[in-house]
Amino acid sequence: MVNQLSRSIVLIGMMGAGKSSVGRCLHRRTGLALRDTDEIVAASFGMPISEIFPKFGEQRFRQAETDALRSLPTTERAIIVTGGGIVVRNENIEILKRLGVIVWLDGDEEMLFARASRKRNRPLLQTKNPRKCFSEILGVRRPLYANIADVQVDTSLLTDEEVAVAILVKLGRMNPKLESPIPATAL
Ligand code: S3P
C-alpha cells in the first residue's frame, strides 16, 4: 500500500464545502504546491468563472475544466483543489484517481447551501429557486463523490484549520507503519 501522505491530496466536494480555504490551510501546513482547477480555467479564459458561464455556457467550462485537470503533472506532489462539478464527467474520474488521494469534503446540506450562497458568484445558483436547485445538484453528486473518495471528512462543525488537520491525520493513519514525509508540526 502506498503511503497516502506521500501522494498529492485532491479535494473534491460540493460548492460551499470549503475546498479552497482548506486547500490553502493544507498548502501552508505541508509546504506543497497549491493547484486549483477553477483558477486554471479562469486564467485560460482571462475572466472569472461567473462570466464564463453566461458568455460561453457550461459545456465550454466543463471542457476547460477537463483540460485543466489534464494539465496537472502527475509527478508533482501538490494540494489540488477542484470545482464542485468535477465529478460529473466520467473522463475526469480516471484523471483524478491518477493525480492523488481523493478527499471528499462533505457536510450538512443546509450548512453547505448557506456557505455556497454567501458569495453571489456561483453561476449554477443564479436561478429562481437556488435552494431547490442546490438540493437537486447535491442529490446527483453525492453518490459520485462517495464513489471515488478515498477519505470523507464532515466539515459541518469544523473550522477550515480543523478540517486540514483531520485530513492529515486520516491520511497518516491509512499507513501508520510508514514514516510520514509531512512533519508532525504540520498537524
Ligand atoms: C461548480 C462549482 C464551482 C465552479 C463552477 C461550477 C459546480 O466551484 O467550478 O461554478 O458545478 O458545482 P466551487 O465548488 O469551488 O464553488
Side-chain angles (χ1 to χ4, degrees):
M1 185 183 175
V2 184
N3 180 356
Q4 302 298 339
L5 278 178
S6 68
R7 304 177 67 201
S8 290
I9 300 175
V10 181
L11 300 181
I12 63 166
M14 189 64 175
M15 298 170 251
K19 301 179 296 288
S20 304
S21 317
V22 170
R24 282 192 293 274
C25 297
L26 286 170
H27 162 65
R28 273 198 304 273
R29 283 174 179 273
T30 63
L32 297 181
L34 183 60
R35 309 283 173 221
D36 185 320
T37 58
D38 275 351
E39 280 178 14
I40 298 171
V41 171
S44 73
F45 280 86
M47 63 184 73
I49 309 277
S50 55
E51 285 176 32
I52 299 172
F53 270 68
K55 280 203 177 117
F56 297 98
E58 181 171 355
Q59 284 322 306
R60 286 281 297 279
F61 170 82
R62 295 289 169 215
Q63 185 53 49
E65 194 173 41
T66 300
D67 294 343
L69 264 191
R70 286 193 197 287
S71 76
L72 295 171
T74 47
T75 46
E76 175 195 61
R77 274 184 64 216
I79 307 299
I80 299 168
V81 174
T82 64
I86 204 90
V87 289
V88 300
R89 274 192 164 201
N90 260 339
E91 61 184 305
N92 293 350
I93 305 296
E94 280 317 305
I95 310 175
L96 288 167
K97 284 184 179 163
R98 272 202 302 276
L99 281 170
V101 59
I102 302 180
V103 177
W104 172 22
L105 302 189
D106 195 23
D108 167 69
E109 182 172 336
E110 283 303 331
M111 181 276 302
L112 289 174
F113 178 71
R115 285 198 205 144
S117 42
R118 217 171 279 158
K119 281 192 203 156
R120 302 196 177 275
N121 62 354
R122 269 149 173 139
L124 291 179
L125 298 183
Q126 308 306 311
T127 62
K128 268 195 191 143
N129 190 341
R131 180 69 190 85
K132 183 163 170 270
C133 179
F134 188 86
S135 195
E136 284 167 3
I137 297 174
L138 186 61
V140 170
R141 289 186 186 166
R142 266 203 171 125
L144 303 176
Y145 296 134
N147 212 19
I148 64 160
D150 297 298
V151 171
Q152 178 187 4
V153 177
D154 186 334
T155 67
S156 309
L157 300 173
L158 302 178
T159 64
D160 296 332
E161 287 293 346
E162 286 167 345
V163 174
V165 171
I167 291 169
L168 293 173
V169 168
K170 280 191 185 213
L171 296 184
R173 280 204 195 118
M174 285 170 87
N175 195 343
K177 282 188 195 140
L178 289 175
E179 199 183 323
S180 163
I182 295 175
T185 49
L187 302 177

Short mmCIF file of all heavy atoms in Angstrom, two decimals, residues 57-70 83-96 140-141 144-145 148:
data_model
loop_
_atom_site.label_atom_id
_atom_site.label_comp_id
_atom_site.label_asym_id
_atom_site.label_seq_id
_atom_site.Cartn_x
_atom_site.Cartn_y
_atom_site.Cartn_z
N GLY A 57 -21.19 29.29 -21.80
CA GLY A 57 -22.03 28.14 -21.47
C GLY A 57 -21.29 27.11 -20.62
O GLY A 57 -20.06 27.10 -20.55
N GLU A 58 -22.09 26.24 -19.99
CA GLU A 58 -21.49 25.27 -19.06
C GLU A 58 -20.59 24.27 -19.77
O GLU A 58 -19.55 23.88 -19.24
CB GLU A 58 -22.60 24.55 -18.28
CG GLU A 58 -22.01 23.56 -17.29
CD GLU A 58 -23.00 22.95 -16.31
OE1 GLU A 58 -24.18 23.35 -16.32
OE2 GLU A 58 -22.57 22.07 -15.53
N GLN A 59 -20.97 23.84 -20.99
CA GLN A 59 -20.17 22.79 -21.66
C GLN A 59 -18.75 23.26 -21.95
O GLN A 59 -17.80 22.49 -21.79
CB GLN A 59 -20.88 22.31 -22.94
CG GLN A 59 -22.06 21.40 -22.67
CD GLN A 59 -21.81 20.43 -21.49
OE1 GLN A 59 -20.82 19.70 -21.46
NE2 GLN A 59 -22.71 20.44 -20.50
N ARG A 60 -18.62 24.52 -22.38
CA ARG A 60 -17.26 25.05 -22.64
C ARG A 60 -16.47 25.11 -21.33
O ARG A 60 -15.27 24.84 -21.30
CB ARG A 60 -17.35 26.46 -23.26
CG ARG A 60 -17.78 26.48 -24.70
CD ARG A 60 -16.65 26.11 -25.67
NE ARG A 60 -15.53 27.05 -25.64
CZ ARG A 60 -15.49 28.21 -26.28
NH1 ARG A 60 -16.51 28.59 -27.02
NH2 ARG A 60 -14.44 29.01 -26.19
N PHE A 61 -17.17 25.47 -20.26
CA PHE A 61 -16.50 25.49 -18.95
C PHE A 61 -16.03 24.08 -18.58
O PHE A 61 -14.90 23.88 -18.15
CB PHE A 61 -17.44 26.04 -17.86
CG PHE A 61 -16.89 25.85 -16.47
CD1 PHE A 61 -15.95 26.74 -15.96
CD2 PHE A 61 -17.26 24.76 -15.69
CE1 PHE A 61 -15.39 26.54 -14.70
CE2 PHE A 61 -16.71 24.55 -14.43
CZ PHE A 61 -15.78 25.46 -13.94
N ARG A 62 -16.92 23.08 -18.77
CA ARG A 62 -16.57 21.69 -18.39
C ARG A 62 -15.39 21.18 -19.21
O ARG A 62 -14.56 20.44 -18.69
CB ARG A 62 -17.78 20.77 -18.57
CG ARG A 62 -18.96 21.05 -17.67
CD ARG A 62 -18.69 20.69 -16.22
NE ARG A 62 -19.74 21.23 -15.35
CZ ARG A 62 -19.54 21.67 -14.13
NH1 ARG A 62 -18.34 21.63 -13.58
NH2 ARG A 62 -20.53 22.15 -13.41
N GLN A 63 -15.35 21.55 -20.49
CA GLN A 63 -14.21 21.10 -21.31
C GLN A 63 -12.91 21.73 -20.78
O GLN A 63 -11.89 21.05 -20.64
CB GLN A 63 -14.44 21.48 -22.79
CG GLN A 63 -13.35 20.95 -23.71
CD GLN A 63 -13.13 19.43 -23.56
OE1 GLN A 63 -14.08 18.65 -23.58
NE2 GLN A 63 -11.87 19.01 -23.35
N ALA A 64 -12.98 23.01 -20.46
CA ALA A 64 -11.79 23.70 -19.93
C ALA A 64 -11.37 23.10 -18.59
O ALA A 64 -10.19 23.02 -18.26
CB ALA A 64 -12.08 25.19 -19.78
N GLU A 65 -12.37 22.65 -17.83
CA GLU A 65 -12.09 22.04 -16.52
C GLU A 65 -11.33 20.72 -16.72
O GLU A 65 -10.35 20.43 -16.02
CB GLU A 65 -13.44 21.81 -15.81
CG GLU A 65 -13.34 21.51 -14.34
CD GLU A 65 -14.72 21.45 -13.69
OE1 GLU A 65 -15.67 20.89 -14.29
OE2 GLU A 65 -14.85 21.96 -12.56
N THR A 66 -11.77 19.93 -17.71
CA THR A 66 -11.08 18.68 -18.01
C THR A 66 -9.66 18.97 -18.50
O THR A 66 -8.69 18.32 -18.09
CB THR A 66 -11.85 17.87 -19.08
OG1 THR A 66 -13.15 17.58 -18.56
CG2 THR A 66 -11.14 16.57 -19.43
N ASP A 67 -9.52 19.98 -19.37
CA ASP A 67 -8.20 20.37 -19.87
C ASP A 67 -7.30 20.79 -18.70
O ASP A 67 -6.10 20.47 -18.68
CB ASP A 67 -8.30 21.53 -20.88
CG ASP A 67 -9.04 21.11 -22.15
OD1 ASP A 67 -9.18 19.90 -22.40
OD2 ASP A 67 -9.49 22.02 -22.89
N ALA A 68 -7.87 21.51 -17.75
CA ALA A 68 -7.09 21.97 -16.59
C ALA A 68 -6.59 20.76 -15.79
O ALA A 68 -5.43 20.71 -15.38
CB ALA A 68 -7.95 22.87 -15.70
N LEU A 69 -7.47 19.77 -15.60
CA LEU A 69 -7.07 18.55 -14.87
C LEU A 69 -5.93 17.86 -15.59
O LEU A 69 -4.96 17.42 -14.99
CB LEU A 69 -8.24 17.58 -14.80
CG LEU A 69 -9.14 17.55 -13.58
CD1 LEU A 69 -10.03 16.33 -13.64
CD2 LEU A 69 -8.34 17.57 -12.28
N ARG A 70 -6.09 17.74 -16.92
CA ARG A 70 -5.06 17.07 -17.72
C ARG A 70 -3.73 17.80 -17.68
O ARG A 70 -2.67 17.19 -17.84
CB ARG A 70 -5.50 16.97 -19.20
CG ARG A 70 -6.56 15.95 -19.47
CD ARG A 70 -6.69 15.73 -20.98
NE ARG A 70 -7.94 15.06 -21.30
CZ ARG A 70 -8.19 13.78 -21.04
NH1 ARG A 70 -7.25 13.04 -20.50
NH2 ARG A 70 -9.37 13.26 -21.34
N GLY A 83 -13.28 22.11 -8.72
CA GLY A 83 -14.62 22.69 -8.68
C GLY A 83 -15.63 21.61 -8.31
O GLY A 83 -15.40 20.42 -8.56
N GLY A 84 -16.76 22.02 -7.75
CA GLY A 84 -17.75 21.06 -7.27
C GLY A 84 -18.29 20.10 -8.32
O GLY A 84 -18.72 19.00 -8.01
N GLY A 85 -18.22 20.53 -9.60
CA GLY A 85 -18.80 19.70 -10.66
C GLY A 85 -17.78 18.79 -11.34
O GLY A 85 -18.11 18.16 -12.35
N ILE A 86 -16.60 18.68 -10.80
CA ILE A 86 -15.53 17.92 -11.46
C ILE A 86 -15.92 16.45 -11.65
O ILE A 86 -15.44 15.79 -12.57
CB ILE A 86 -14.21 18.03 -10.64
CG1 ILE A 86 -12.99 17.79 -11.52
CG2 ILE A 86 -14.18 17.09 -9.45
CD1 ILE A 86 -12.43 19.00 -12.16
N VAL A 87 -16.82 15.94 -10.80
CA VAL A 87 -17.17 14.51 -10.85
C VAL A 87 -18.24 14.18 -11.90
O VAL A 87 -18.54 13.00 -12.11
CB VAL A 87 -17.66 14.00 -9.47
CG1 VAL A 87 -16.52 13.93 -8.47
CG2 VAL A 87 -18.80 14.87 -8.95
N VAL A 88 -18.81 15.21 -12.53
CA VAL A 88 -19.92 14.91 -13.44
C VAL A 88 -19.46 14.31 -14.78
O VAL A 88 -20.22 13.68 -15.49
CB VAL A 88 -20.85 16.13 -13.72
CG1 VAL A 88 -21.47 16.64 -12.44
CG2 VAL A 88 -20.11 17.24 -14.43
N ARG A 89 -18.19 14.53 -15.12
CA ARG A 89 -17.67 13.95 -16.37
C ARG A 89 -16.88 12.69 -16.04
O ARG A 89 -15.91 12.74 -15.29
CB ARG A 89 -16.72 14.93 -17.04
CG ARG A 89 -17.38 15.91 -17.92
CD ARG A 89 -16.31 16.60 -18.73
NE ARG A 89 -16.89 17.28 -19.86
CZ ARG A 89 -16.21 17.62 -20.93
NH1 ARG A 89 -14.92 17.33 -21.02
NH2 ARG A 89 -16.79 18.26 -21.92
N ASN A 90 -17.28 11.60 -16.70
CA ASN A 90 -16.61 10.31 -16.47
C ASN A 90 -15.11 10.38 -16.70
O ASN A 90 -14.34 9.80 -15.95
CB ASN A 90 -17.19 9.25 -17.41
CG ASN A 90 -18.20 8.41 -16.67
OD1 ASN A 90 -18.17 8.35 -15.44
ND2 ASN A 90 -19.09 7.78 -17.41
N GLU A 91 -14.73 11.08 -17.77
CA GLU A 91 -13.30 11.11 -18.10
C GLU A 91 -12.47 11.79 -17.02
O GLU A 91 -11.27 11.54 -16.92
CB GLU A 91 -13.08 11.76 -19.46
CG GLU A 91 -13.54 13.19 -19.54
CD GLU A 91 -13.39 13.76 -20.97
OE1 GLU A 91 -12.27 13.71 -21.51
OE2 GLU A 91 -14.40 14.22 -21.51
N ASN A 92 -13.09 12.63 -16.20
CA ASN A 92 -12.34 13.29 -15.13
C ASN A 92 -11.96 12.32 -14.02
O ASN A 92 -10.98 12.51 -13.32
CB ASN A 92 -13.15 14.44 -14.52
CG ASN A 92 -13.36 15.58 -15.49
OD1 ASN A 92 -12.76 15.60 -16.56
ND2 ASN A 92 -14.22 16.52 -15.13
N ILE A 93 -12.80 11.29 -13.86
CA ILE A 93 -12.63 10.39 -12.70
C ILE A 93 -11.28 9.69 -12.73
O ILE A 93 -10.56 9.68 -11.73
CB ILE A 93 -13.77 9.33 -12.67
CG1 ILE A 93 -15.15 10.01 -12.68
CG2 ILE A 93 -13.62 8.40 -11.48
CD1 ILE A 93 -15.48 10.85 -11.50
N GLU A 94 -10.92 9.16 -13.89
CA GLU A 94 -9.64 8.45 -14.01
C GLU A 94 -8.47 9.40 -13.78
O GLU A 94 -7.48 9.05 -13.14
CB GLU A 94 -9.52 7.77 -15.38
CG GLU A 94 -10.27 6.45 -15.48
CD GLU A 94 -10.09 5.57 -14.24
OE1 GLU A 94 -8.93 5.29 -13.88
OE2 GLU A 94 -11.11 5.18 -13.63
N ILE A 95 -8.61 10.61 -14.29
CA ILE A 95 -7.53 11.60 -14.12
C ILE A 95 -7.37 11.92 -12.63
O ILE A 95 -6.26 11.95 -12.10
CB ILE A 95 -7.81 12.91 -14.91
CG1 ILE A 95 -8.19 12.60 -16.36
CG2 ILE A 95 -6.61 13.85 -14.84
CD1 ILE A 95 -8.61 13.82 -17.17
N LEU A 96 -8.50 12.13 -11.96
CA LEU A 96 -8.46 12.45 -10.53
C LEU A 96 -7.76 11.35 -9.75
O LEU A 96 -6.92 11.60 -8.89
CB LEU A 96 -9.88 12.65 -9.98
CG LEU A 96 -10.61 13.92 -10.42
CD1 LEU A 96 -12.09 13.85 -10.06
CD2 LEU A 96 -9.98 15.16 -9.78
N VAL A 140 -27.64 14.47 -7.00
CA VAL A 140 -26.99 13.78 -8.13
C VAL A 140 -25.52 13.50 -7.80
O VAL A 140 -24.98 12.44 -8.11
CB VAL A 140 -27.08 14.65 -9.42
CG1 VAL A 140 -26.21 14.07 -10.53
CG2 VAL A 140 -28.52 14.79 -9.86
N ARG A 141 -24.88 14.47 -7.14
CA ARG A 141 -23.43 14.37 -6.98
C ARG A 141 -22.97 13.54 -5.80
O ARG A 141 -21.87 12.98 -5.85
CB ARG A 141 -22.83 15.78 -6.87
CG ARG A 141 -22.89 16.49 -8.20
CD ARG A 141 -22.17 17.80 -8.09
NE ARG A 141 -22.33 18.59 -9.30
CZ ARG A 141 -22.04 19.86 -9.38
NH1 ARG A 141 -21.58 20.49 -8.31
NH2 ARG A 141 -22.20 20.51 -10.51
N LEU A 144 -21.67 10.26 -6.58
CA LEU A 144 -20.45 10.35 -7.40
C LEU A 144 -19.23 10.65 -6.54
O LEU A 144 -18.17 10.04 -6.69
CB LEU A 144 -20.60 11.43 -8.49
CG LEU A 144 -21.78 11.27 -9.46
CD1 LEU A 144 -21.87 12.46 -10.41
CD2 LEU A 144 -21.62 9.98 -10.27
N TYR A 145 -19.40 11.59 -5.60
CA TYR A 145 -18.29 11.89 -4.67
C TYR A 145 -17.95 10.63 -3.87
O TYR A 145 -16.79 10.27 -3.71
CB TYR A 145 -18.68 13.00 -3.69
CG TYR A 145 -18.96 14.37 -4.28
CD1 TYR A 145 -20.08 15.11 -3.89
CD2 TYR A 145 -18.09 14.94 -5.21
CE1 TYR A 145 -20.33 16.37 -4.40
CE2 TYR A 145 -18.35 16.21 -5.74
CZ TYR A 145 -19.47 16.91 -5.33
OH TYR A 145 -19.72 18.17 -5.84
N ILE A 148 -15.81 7.85 -5.61
CA ILE A 148 -14.37 7.96 -5.91
C ILE A 148 -13.53 8.38 -4.71
O ILE A 148 -12.31 8.36 -4.79
CB ILE A 148 -14.08 8.92 -7.09
CG1 ILE A 148 -14.48 10.36 -6.76
CG2 ILE A 148 -14.73 8.46 -8.35
CD1 ILE A 148 -13.76 11.33 -7.70
#
